[in-house]
Amino acid sequence: MRQILFSGVIGLFLTLVGTPLLIKLLARKGYGQYIRDDGPRGHHGKRGTPTMGGIAFILATLIAYALTKVITATNPTFSGLLVLFLMAGMGLVGFLDDYIKIVKQRSLGLRAKAKMAGQLIVGIAFAVLSLNFADGRGQTPASDKLSFTQDFGWSLGPVIFVIWALFMILAMSNGVNLTDGLDGLATGASVMVFGAYTFIGVWQHQESCAYAERLTNPAACFEVRDPLDLAVVASALMGACFGFLWWNTSPAKIFMGDTGSLALGGALAGLAIVSRTELLLALLGGLFVLITMSVVIQVGSFRLTGKRVFRMAPLQHHFELKGWSEVLVVVRFWIIQGMCVIVGLGLFYAGWAAGK
């Protein structure tokens, strides 16, 4: 368990210390945020705030994981490395998008086809690789079955699994991206979900089928390839995002940009896939789902009826236009996210207890 403590603390320290250095570098180069003219008026004052801050917690997570392995003299696992690969790969796509926005001073970065192509390449690579690298018990990082708290149902087959994995990766990446509209909102919500996955990884390790002979209820064990290392990755992400939140909370000194939001969405989807909690992620990341659905409802309603359901989508801007302060929206949305995590963890435990 020392690995979990080390990865979280190192990730936290690196972003607390490293983010202000990144802020100075980005400010010196003039890499500031472009603000849409049709957004809430209160956001216009944020124009020019350094963006691409996701670089800070991506690097912090990678370094924290590597240092933890060196300090504890343990080997990295394929499951942990695959999640980190997905995070970094999606972050690279987001970085290219942010860079083009900044250089050309426009709200559109990569063209839609190019951005989608980048996400598909990274997502497909992750999905295909996750069905390989079986351990001594024949367990691969991912399973081609659907999962809630554990695998269930029939095998999807490799092709359908890859499509399903891509859907999850794209959905969560876009969900975090849409949520990242207010200072600290997406970062704080992500901290909670990564904290939940740290707990899930520890619990799955303690109740792993690899140790079925010493469990009091082996029928309730978890068939997950590297649960403890997934907890190490989740802890590093939690610590790195927590440290970044110090600088990202209102008034934000730096924004994560697409670099950060795509990376966090990829990491969340990756953790869900390899920990066999795919459908549970919809509850654990309930705020991201809620905000994404607000955009779907808004667009669908306008196309079908010509009327808007919300004053503005995503949902957080609707409440801003109703007169809520930015901090009030963020704190209340954090409360909603906290309740989603509590319900999700409760169902995770209930699923384990039901198998006893």
Side-chain angles (χ1 to χ4, degrees), residues 160-211:
I160 297 179
F161 167 77
V162 169
I163 295 172
W164 167 241
L166 282 174
F167 169 77
M168 286 192 62
I169 294 166
L170 294 175
M172 285 310 301
S173 296
N174 289 319
V176 178
N177 184 257
L178 291 170
T179 304
D180 183 36
L182 301 181
D183 294 354
L185 178 58
T187 309
S190 296
V191 167
M192 298 181 204
V193 187
F194 288 131
Y197 271 109
T198 302
F199 171 83
I200 288 172
V202 171
W203 193 271
Q204 289 178 332
H205 173 68
Q206 292 176 341
E207 300 294 331
S208 173
C209 294
Y211 315 118

Side-chain angles (χ1 to χ4, degrees), residues 10 21 31-32 39 90 117 134 137 168 185 235 244 250 252 267 299 314 335:
I10 294 172
L21 300 178
Y31 290 175
M90 296 296 287
R137 297 186 304 117
M168 286 192 62
L185 178 58
S235 179
F244 181 75
S250 183
V299 173
I335 293 172

Side-chain angles (χ1 to χ4, degrees), residues 6-307:
F6 282 137
S7 65
V9 171
I10 294 172
L12 172 65
F13 174 78
L14 289 176
T15 46
L16 278 175
V17 175
T19 303
L21 300 178
L22 179 62
I23 293 172
K24 292 180 181 178
L25 174 63
L26 295 173
R28 189 181 307 124
K29 291 183 173 293
Y31 290 175
Q33 177 70 33
Y34 178 89
I35 302 296
R36 291 167 47 189
D37 292 329
D38 60 345
R41 292 183 179 180
H43 289 209
H44 292 175
K46 300 179 181 183
R47 192 185 305 271
T49 301
T51 187
M52 296 196 296
I55 294 172
F57 55 74
I58 292 172
L59 291 178
T61 300
L62 295 174
I63 294 171
Y65 181 82
L67 287 179
T68 296
K69 294 302 173 183
V70 172
I71 294 170
T72 60
T74 54
N75 294 321
T77 67
F78 285 113
S79 298
L81 291 175
L82 280 172
V83 174
L84 293 175
F85 161 76
L86 183 58
M87 175 196 70
M90 296 296 287
L92 177 60
V93 175
F95 172 81
L96 294 174
D97 190 49
D98 285 333
Y99 185 78
I100 293 173
K101 289 177 186 176
I102 292 167
V103 170
K104 297 193 174 182
Q105 285 294 298
R106 65 185 193 189
S107 59
L108 177 64
L110 282 173
R111 297 190 181 279
K113 290 183 179 179
K115 189 173 183 180
M116 179 61 71
Q119 292 175 301
L120 288 177
I121 291 171
V122 175
I124 291 173
F126 167 83
V128 172
L129 291 172
S130 67
L131 290 178
N132 293 278
F133 306 109
D135 62 10
R137 297 186 304 117
Q139 289 293 320
T140 54
S143 165
D144 63 357
K145 292 183 178 180
L146 288 176
S147 60
F148 184 61
T149 59
Q150 297 198 51
D151 287 342
F152 67 87
W154 297 280
S155 296
L156 299 175
V159 175
I160 297 179
F161 167 77
V162 169
I163 295 172
W164 167 241
L166 282 174
F167 169 77
M168 286 192 62
I169 294 166
L170 294 175
M172 285 310 301
S173 296
N174 289 319
V176 178
N177 184 257
L178 291 170
T179 304
D180 183 36
L182 301 181
D183 294 354
L185 178 58
T187 309
S190 296
V191 167
M192 298 181 204
V193 187
F194 288 131
Y197 271 109
T198 302
F199 171 83
I200 288 172
V202 171
W203 193 271
Q204 289 178 332
H205 173 68
Q206 292 176 341
E207 300 294 331
S208 173
C209 294
Y211 315 118
E213 68 280 356
R214 66 172 174 78
L215 299 178
T216 55
N217 293 286
C221 67
F222 293 97
E223 285 286 7
V224 177
R225 190 189 190 286
D226 307 298
L228 182 59
D229 208 41
L230 295 178
V232 173
V233 172
S235 179
L237 281 160
M238 177 180 64
C241 287
F242 210 180
F244 181 75
L245 184 60
W246 181 272
W247 306 102
N248 182 233
T249 194
S250 183
K253 299 293 188 294
I254 189 170
F255 300 137
M256 70 170 69
D258 280 14
T259 306
S261 60
L262 295 187
L264 292 182
L268 288 171
L271 284 169
I273 291 169
V274 296
S275 67
R276 317 292 171 84
T277 56
E278 296 161 358
L279 298 179
L280 185 64
L281 180 60
L283 281 173
L284 293 174
L287 180 64
F288 303 126
V289 176
L290 177 65
I291 287 176
T292 301
M293 289 307 300
S294 73
V295 175
V296 173
I297 292 170
Q298 184 85 325
V299 173
S301 175
F302 186 77
R303 288 183 176 178
L304 291 174
T305 67
K307 297 181 180 179

